[in-house]
Amino acid sequence: MSAADEALPQPDPGSSPGPPQPQIPPTIHQLSFNQDFTCFSAATDRGFLVFNTDPYRLLLRRDFDTGLSLVSMLFRFEVFALVGSFSAPATSTNTNTKALLWDDHASRCVGELSFRSPIRSIRLRRDTIIVTLLHKIYVYNFSDLKLLHQLETTSNPKGLCEVSQDSGPMVLVCPGLQKGTVRVESYGSKRCKFINAHSSNITCLALTPDGRSLATASSKGTLIRVFNTLDGTLIQEVRRGADRAEIYSLAFSSTAQWLAASSDKGTVHVFSLKVDSVALEDDRSSSASESPVPNQSALSSLSILKGVLPKYFSSEWSVAQFRLPEGSQYIVAFGQQRNTVMIIGMNGSLHRCQFDPVNGGQMTQIEEFNFLKPEETFSMSE
């Protein structure tokens, strides 16, 4: 990797742990979970924060002379991909066009990637770095930053792109060149497949760790579809609601028994899935007690009239729900404890909730934190 020690100001040596100066909470620019949901990170107007999810605690705080727009973690390794204005003026057109690899153990940048247009998202694997721009995606080798592949997409302002995380060849999913299509790039078989997922623009994607199952949502936000990435077949369709909504996040549970979704309506939904990731089938059979019992509330009682009444009446609905205040963007993931979900918000909230896999209904909140409160966030030791 090329050295980039001067690209980013060195962090304040006393920035973690210890109280900040001043005590005004930072402004969050982006939130994301790591690959196995054991941590989450926040890109702020001062630098970035990393928290452990269970138990909740601050792991890392790094303050720089400039704010960050994106932070991407690699599991629990001390290597981060950072995107921000860096040395460019705030009014510069070069804002967010550079990605830096930050080695926190060495407290220095160890590599950088520069582009002509703003970076929309970054995904990390142990062997690759995937950078998404408005119309292109670049895949790099992690060890030497050699360009391996580039793909063209339709306009992709959200930087939608997900990659498999299990060992073995990568599966990458992203918007295709046509509205409503998803491109599935299987690097092991060197095959590319296009799935006609929706009639409107794709707005959210999720991929199981093995890359075999894909969840998609469109700009309508009413239906969520799950596909088999191997052959592109539709596995299941579930309904979030009847009104239009912006889906903020989708997440599979580790065993692919469940799918969670958050939206601008303020309700987090958990859906029961019919199919499991093939790679985890043996694990599932050895823990059959965890398997969901068919929940009648999840399937409309009018399903007997399927084909006669509109599709809405035979839709599969969520098993469990949790209501949040509207007006903030929330990201959802599954917890390390059985039948739990974690919800982080741009307002600094963290909710841990438990759902009943048999009876469903409203989830029970177990914990709630405000990770922007100085006394909760910054007074914690490493």
Side-chain angles (χ1 to χ4, degrees), residues 340-360:
T340 61
V341 297
M342 301 172 294
I343 309 158
I344 52 176
M346 294 290 283
N347 58 2
S349 64
L350 166 63
H351 302 264
R352 191 192 315 280
C353 307
Q354 188 167 39
F355 63 92
D356 187 327
V358 177
N359 299 313

Side-chain angles (χ1 to χ4, degrees), residues 58-77:
L58 175 69
L59 293 178
L60 189 68
R61 177 180 133 235
R62 292 293 177 254
D63 290 346
F64 301 110
D65 293 340
T66 183
L68 299 179
S69 60
L70 297 172
V71 175
S72 185
M73 300 180 65
L74 179 61
F75 291 94
R76 298 179 72 92
F77 293 107

Side-chain angles (χ1 to χ4, degrees), residues 8 44 52 54 125 164 178 182 190 234 252 260 282 310 339 379:
L8 188 68
T44 76
N52 194 71
D54 190 11
R125 273 174 49 107
S164 60
Q178 304 297 324
V182 177
K190 297 182 179 179
L234 177 65
F252 286 97
D282 293 339
N339 304 328
S379 62

Side-chain angles (χ1 to χ4, degrees), residues 5 20 85 92-94 133 135 205-206 230 275 286 300 319 335 370 372 377 381:
D5 295 331
S85 56
S92 171
T93 56
N94 293 327
L133 309 183
H135 293 284
L205 298 172
L230 297 177
V275 66
S286 64
S300 170
V319 172
N370 184 340
L372 290 185
T377 301
S381 60

Side-chain angles (χ1 to χ4, degrees), residues 110-161:
V110 294
E112 70 175 70
L113 296 165
S114 296
F115 303 90
R116 295 180 179 178
S117 62
I119 297 168
R120 305 291 174 158
S121 72
I122 293 187
R123 297 290 181 265
L124 300 181
R125 273 174 49 107
R126 291 180 174 89
D127 54 357
T128 48
I129 301 173
I130 302 91
V131 180
T132 303
L133 309 183
L134 184 61
H135 293 284
K136 282 195 174 184
I137 294 176
Y138 295 90
V139 180
Y140 296 90
N141 189 48
F142 203 111
S143 62
D144 57 9
L145 299 187
K146 178 183 178 182
L147 180 64
L148 302 177
H149 192 204
Q150 53 183 310
L151 306 83
E152 292 189 5
T153 69
T154 186
S155 181
N156 188 12
K158 285 186 160 186
L160 301 179
C161 179

Side-chain angles (χ1 to χ4, degrees), residues 247-369:
I247 303 294
Y248 288 141
S249 68
L250 296 171
F252 286 97
S253 65
S254 60
T255 56
Q257 289 175 261
W258 310 102
L259 178 71
S262 64
S263 75
D264 63 352
K265 295 296 185 181
T267 301
V268 169
H269 295 268
V270 173
F271 302 91
S272 175
L273 298 184
K274 297 175 181 177
V275 66
D276 306 317
S277 282
V278 175
L280 293 169
E281 191 64 39
D282 293 339
D283 294 339
R284 284 290 316 284
S285 61
S286 64
S287 58
S289 61
E290 298 181 31
S291 299
V293 174
N295 187 297
Q296 293 304 315
S297 67
L299 187 63
S300 170
S301 60
L302 296 177
S303 60
I304 193 172
L305 298 178
K306 185 177 181 180
V308 179
L309 293 175
K311 196 174 184 180
Y312 171 88
F313 292 102
S314 60
S315 295
E316 290 187 56
W317 298 82
S318 60
V319 172
Q321 309 82 33
F322 185 74
R323 185 70 182 171
L324 293 155
E326 293 186 39
S328 185
Q329 182 173 341
Y330 298 97
I331 309 298
V332 65
F334 284 90
Q336 305 303 304
Q337 301 175 37
R338 183 184 304 179
N339 304 328
T340 61
V341 297
M342 301 172 294
I343 309 158
I344 52 176
M346 294 290 283
N347 58 2
S349 64
L350 166 63
H351 302 264
R352 191 192 315 280
C353 307
Q354 188 167 39
F355 63 92
D356 187 327
V358 177
N359 299 313
Q362 291 298 313
M363 297 187 226
T364 301
Q365 180 168 286
I366 302 172
E367 293 179 307
E368 180 182 6
F369 299 97

Side-chain angles (χ1 to χ4, degrees), residues 184-238:
V184 179
E185 200 73 30
S186 301
Y187 287 84
S189 60
K190 297 182 179 179
R191 295 176 60 185
C192 174
K193 179 175 290 293
F194 290 90
I195 298 174
N196 294 318
H198 298 271
S199 59
S200 51
N201 289 322
I202 304 294
T203 57
C204 200
L205 298 172
L207 193 64
T208 51
D210 59 16
R212 292 176 180 265
S213 297
L214 161 71
T216 67
S218 74
S219 56
K220 290 182 180 179
T222 53
L223 297 174
I224 299 167
R225 295 183 173 125
V226 180
F227 296 91
N228 183 331
T229 60
L230 297 177
D231 56 17
T233 55
L234 177 65
I235 298 172
Q236 192 170 351
E237 178 183 275
V238 296

